[in-house]
Amino acid sequence: MLTLAEANLVLAATLSKAQEMKGTVAASVCDAEGSLIAFQRMDGIYSESIRMAIGKAIAAAASRAASGKQSAVLDYRSVWNASGIGLPMIRRPGGLPIMCSGTVLGAIGVSGGATDQDDERCATAGLEALAVWRLREDHAPGAMTDGPLRKRGGRRAARHISCGSMLSKR
């Protein structure tokens, strides 16, 4: 389960990365069923970026893969409630699943950056922050607690949070 505190941590790191890149974004975190947990938008963001950020997160949760991965199969049953009320599933880069031990906990969606790659970089920063926090604080019940993994932190640790995302290509 992804908590509100964890979702807010992901969003804070995401917005911080956007600020560092001198951009503005909208970012959302949803649970495994596509229901919104947390959302933030920076000042000056285009209104369409709001819907895009939410849709990218839902697509990442439904496919268990990066939202821009066109070959990924969308599992509409997993997000039936969100899609049933008309929320979009947007298949563009910027959405990444949040996974732990092969289980989808939720997803992050980012929109509004100068490029799709900027959106994905911001989302990746959010996942990295969550991975480090969970490893440091043992907040993942029964997961990711072995000694060698704990010492690695950062991007290597984030791979275990976000299986199948762009992080595994680094």
Side-chain angles (χ1 to χ4, degrees):
M1 181 176 112
L2 197 59
T3 67
L4 176 60
E6 290 171 326
N8 285 331
L9 175 85
V10 169
L11 291 179
T14 299
L15 298 182
S16 177
K17 182 66 173 180
Q19 253 182 337
E20 176 187 310
M21 295 169 55
K22 309 249 187 277
T24 56
V25 298
S28 67
V29 175
C30 70
D31 64 16
E33 296 175 350
S35 297
L36 191 64
I37 297 174
F39 174 84
Q40 294 226 356
R41 67 179 192 165
M42 298 173 80
D43 294 337
I45 196 71
Y46 294 108
S47 61
E48 186 56 31
S49 293
I50 296 167
R51 188 169 170 83
M52 295 280 288
I54 293 169
K56 288 177 181 184
I58 294 170
S63 66
R64 299 174 48 128
S67 59
K69 186 175 180 182
Q70 297 299 315
S71 63
V73 176
L74 290 173
D75 178 7
Y76 290 96
R77 293 174 304 192
S78 66
V79 294
W80 70 270
N81 196 29
S83 61
I85 61 171
L87 291 175
M89 279 193 256
I90 298 176
R91 309 270 312 244
R92 294 195 45 142
L96 297 174
I98 301 171
M99 297 179 71
C100 181
S101 302
T103 302
V104 176
L105 302 178
I108 180 172
V110 179
S111 184
T115 65
D116 288 337
Q117 291 74 25
D118 287 350
D119 290 346
E120 199 143 304
R121 272 188 226 115
C122 291
T124 299
L127 292 180
E128 289 172 353
L130 177 61
V132 169
W133 183 79
R134 277 192 165 207
L135 288 172
R136 188 184 67 232
E137 301 294 332
D138 285 330
H139 285 99
M144 301 177 296
T145 57
D146 59 18
L149 178 60
R150 172 186 296 282
K151 293 176 187 168
R152 291 182 195 139
R155 289 188 180 130
R156 280 180 77 97
R159 289 183 191 150
H160 297 277
I161 288 284
S162 59
C163 305
S165 77
M166 295 300 289
L167 296 177
S168 61
K169 294 181 181 178
R170 290 185 178 179

